[in-house]
mmCIF file of all heavy atoms in Angstrom:
data_model
loop_
_atom_site.group_PDB
_atom_site.id
_atom_site.type_symbol
_atom_site.label_atom_id
_atom_site.label_comp_id
_atom_site.label_asym_id
_atom_site.label_seq_id
_atom_site.Cartn_x
_atom_site.Cartn_y
_atom_site.Cartn_z
ATOM 1 N N ALA R 419 113.133 89.637 77.725
ATOM 2 C CA ALA R 419 114.015 90.126 76.662
ATOM 3 C C ALA R 419 114.583 88.968 75.850
ATOM 4 O O ALA R 419 114.658 89.055 74.615
ATOM 5 C CB ALA R 419 115.139 90.960 77.270
ATOM 6 N N CYS R 420 114.949 87.884 76.504
ATOM 7 C CA CYS R 420 115.465 86.711 75.791
ATOM 8 C C CYS R 420 114.398 86.095 74.895
ATOM 9 O O CYS R 420 114.674 85.724 73.748
ATOM 10 C CB CYS R 420 115.980 85.666 76.776
ATOM 11 S SG CYS R 420 117.538 86.107 77.549
ATOM 12 N N ILE R 421 113.190 85.982 75.409
ATOM 13 C CA ILE R 421 112.095 85.424 74.609
ATOM 14 C C ILE R 421 111.842 86.281 73.376
ATOM 15 O O ILE R 421 111.689 85.757 72.259
ATOM 16 C CB ILE R 421 110.817 85.273 75.462
ATOM 17 C CG1 ILE R 421 111.000 84.166 76.492
ATOM 18 C CG2 ILE R 421 109.601 84.986 74.587
ATOM 19 C CD1 ILE R 421 109.883 84.078 77.516
ATOM 20 N N LEU R 422 111.805 87.600 73.557
ATOM 21 C CA LEU R 422 111.588 88.484 72.412
ATOM 22 C C LEU R 422 112.736 88.403 71.408
ATOM 23 O O LEU R 422 112.507 88.355 70.192
ATOM 24 C CB LEU R 422 111.405 89.925 72.894
ATOM 25 C CG LEU R 422 110.090 90.230 73.598
ATOM 26 C CD1 LEU R 422 110.084 91.654 74.129
ATOM 27 C CD2 LEU R 422 108.932 90.019 72.645
ATOM 28 N N THR R 423 113.961 88.375 71.897
ATOM 29 C CA THR R 423 115.125 88.302 71.013
ATOM 30 C C THR R 423 115.132 87.000 70.221
ATOM 31 O O THR R 423 115.354 87.003 69.003
ATOM 32 C CB THR R 423 116.428 88.422 71.832
ATOM 33 O OG1 THR R 423 116.396 89.649 72.557
ATOM 34 C CG2 THR R 423 117.641 88.387 70.947
ATOM 35 N N VAL R 424 114.865 85.898 70.895
ATOM 36 C CA VAL R 424 114.834 84.602 70.210
ATOM 37 C C VAL R 424 113.703 84.570 69.196
ATOM 38 O O VAL R 424 113.877 84.092 68.063
ATOM 39 C CB VAL R 424 114.712 83.451 71.239
ATOM 40 C CG1 VAL R 424 114.366 82.132 70.563
ATOM 41 C CG2 VAL R 424 115.990 83.326 72.034
ATOM 42 N N SER R 425 112.548 85.097 69.561
ATOM 43 C CA SER R 425 111.397 85.084 68.651
ATOM 44 C C SER R 425 111.669 85.898 67.396
ATOM 45 O O SER R 425 111.386 85.453 66.275
ATOM 46 C CB SER R 425 110.161 85.624 69.354
ATOM 47 O OG SER R 425 109.845 84.846 70.450
ATOM 48 N N ILE R 426 112.231 87.080 67.560
ATOM 49 C CA ILE R 426 112.528 87.933 66.402
ATOM 50 C C ILE R 426 113.639 87.305 65.559
ATOM 51 O O ILE R 426 113.571 87.309 64.321
ATOM 52 C CB ILE R 426 112.889 89.355 66.869
ATOM 53 C CG1 ILE R 426 111.640 90.026 67.455
ATOM 54 C CG2 ILE R 426 113.440 90.192 65.720
ATOM 55 C CD1 ILE R 426 111.906 91.347 68.136
ATOM 56 N N SER R 427 114.629 86.733 66.218
ATOM 57 C CA SER R 427 115.714 86.067 65.489
ATOM 58 C C SER R 427 115.181 84.887 64.683
ATOM 59 O O SER R 427 115.574 84.696 63.519
ATOM 60 C CB SER R 427 116.789 85.578 66.451
ATOM 61 O OG SER R 427 117.343 86.654 67.146
ATOM 62 N N LEU R 428 114.312 84.088 65.302
ATOM 63 C CA LEU R 428 113.726 82.956 64.577
ATOM 64 C C LEU R 428 112.919 83.416 63.373
ATOM 65 O O LEU R 428 112.929 82.775 62.321
ATOM 66 C CB LEU R 428 112.855 82.117 65.512
ATOM 67 C CG LEU R 428 113.588 81.272 66.545
ATOM 68 C CD1 LEU R 428 112.594 80.601 67.482
ATOM 69 C CD2 LEU R 428 114.475 80.244 65.864
ATOM 70 N N TYR R 429 112.223 84.521 63.500
ATOM 71 C CA TYR R 429 111.453 85.048 62.375
ATOM 72 C C TYR R 429 112.377 85.405 61.219
ATOM 73 O O TYR R 429 112.128 85.047 60.067
ATOM 74 C CB TYR R 429 110.649 86.281 62.814
ATOM 75 C CG TYR R 429 109.868 86.896 61.674
ATOM 76 C CD1 TYR R 429 108.624 86.393 61.339
ATOM 77 C CD2 TYR R 429 110.389 87.948 60.937
ATOM 78 C CE1 TYR R 429 107.906 86.937 60.295
ATOM 79 C CE2 TYR R 429 109.685 88.497 59.892
ATOM 80 C CZ TYR R 429 108.442 87.996 59.564
ATOM 81 O OH TYR R 429 107.743 88.524 58.524
ATOM 82 N N PHE R 430 113.457 86.123 61.508
ATOM 83 C CA PHE R 430 114.375 86.525 60.451
ATOM 84 C C PHE R 430 115.098 85.330 59.833
ATOM 85 O O PHE R 430 115.320 85.284 58.628
ATOM 86 C CB PHE R 430 115.391 87.552 60.966
ATOM 87 C CG PHE R 430 114.858 88.947 60.959
ATOM 88 C CD1 PHE R 430 114.627 89.610 62.153
ATOM 89 C CD2 PHE R 430 114.569 89.595 59.774
ATOM 90 C CE1 PHE R 430 114.123 90.895 62.156
ATOM 91 C CE2 PHE R 430 114.070 90.880 59.766
ATOM 92 C CZ PHE R 430 113.842 91.531 60.966
ATOM 93 N N VAL R 431 115.443 84.347 60.646
ATOM 94 C CA VAL R 431 116.132 83.167 60.116
ATOM 95 C C VAL R 431 115.188 82.352 59.242
ATOM 96 O O VAL R 431 115.568 81.862 58.176
ATOM 97 C CB VAL R 431 116.700 82.312 61.271
ATOM 98 C CG1 VAL R 431 117.150 80.939 60.795
ATOM 99 C CG2 VAL R 431 117.848 83.039 61.939
ATOM 100 N N LYS R 432 113.948 82.215 59.676
ATOM 101 C CA LYS R 432 112.990 81.374 58.946
ATOM 102 C C LYS R 432 112.536 82.027 57.642
ATOM 103 O O LYS R 432 112.471 81.380 56.607
ATOM 104 C CB LYS R 432 111.781 81.093 59.853
ATOM 105 C CG LYS R 432 110.679 80.320 59.206
ATOM 106 C CD LYS R 432 111.065 78.884 58.980
ATOM 107 C CE LYS R 432 109.873 78.123 58.407
ATOM 108 N NZ LYS R 432 110.245 76.850 57.904
ATOM 109 N N PHE R 433 112.216 83.311 57.662
ATOM 110 C CA PHE R 433 111.597 83.928 56.497
ATOM 111 C C PHE R 433 112.536 84.827 55.690
ATOM 112 O O PHE R 433 112.328 85.022 54.503
ATOM 113 C CB PHE R 433 110.366 84.725 56.933
ATOM 114 C CG PHE R 433 109.309 83.855 57.529
ATOM 115 C CD1 PHE R 433 109.051 83.881 58.883
ATOM 116 C CD2 PHE R 433 108.585 82.967 56.744
ATOM 117 C CE1 PHE R 433 108.071 83.075 59.441
ATOM 118 C CE2 PHE R 433 107.612 82.158 57.287
ATOM 119 C CZ PHE R 433 107.358 82.197 58.650
ATOM 120 N N HIS R 434 113.515 85.393 56.311
ATOM 121 C CA HIS R 434 114.421 86.315 55.610
ATOM 122 C C HIS R 434 115.821 86.147 56.180
ATOM 123 O O HIS R 434 116.000 85.776 57.323
ATOM 124 C CB HIS R 434 113.993 87.776 55.821
ATOM 125 C CG HIS R 434 112.592 88.056 55.398
ATOM 126 N ND1 HIS R 434 112.195 88.099 54.098
ATOM 127 C CD2 HIS R 434 111.452 88.287 56.124
ATOM 128 C CE1 HIS R 434 110.903 88.364 54.027
ATOM 129 N NE2 HIS R 434 110.429 88.460 55.254
ATOM 130 N N TYR R 435 116.766 86.491 55.368
ATOM 131 C CA TYR R 435 118.137 86.493 55.863
ATOM 132 C C TYR R 435 118.649 87.913 55.947
ATOM 133 O O TYR R 435 119.806 88.192 55.757
ATOM 134 C CB TYR R 435 119.037 85.637 54.967
ATOM 135 C CG TYR R 435 118.719 84.178 55.101
ATOM 136 C CD1 TYR R 435 118.006 83.505 54.118
ATOM 137 C CD2 TYR R 435 119.117 83.481 56.224
ATOM 138 C CE1 TYR R 435 117.709 82.172 54.258
ATOM 139 C CE2 TYR R 435 118.820 82.140 56.366
ATOM 140 C CZ TYR R 435 118.119 81.494 55.376
ATOM 141 O OH TYR R 435 117.817 80.167 55.524
#
Side-chain angles (χ1 to χ4, degrees):
C420 286
I421 290 171
L422 288 175
T423 303
V424 167
S425 299
I426 291 171
S427 299
L428 288 175
Y429 178 84
F430 277 112
V431 168
K432 176 71 176 167
F433 297 108
H434 303 288
Y435 290 104

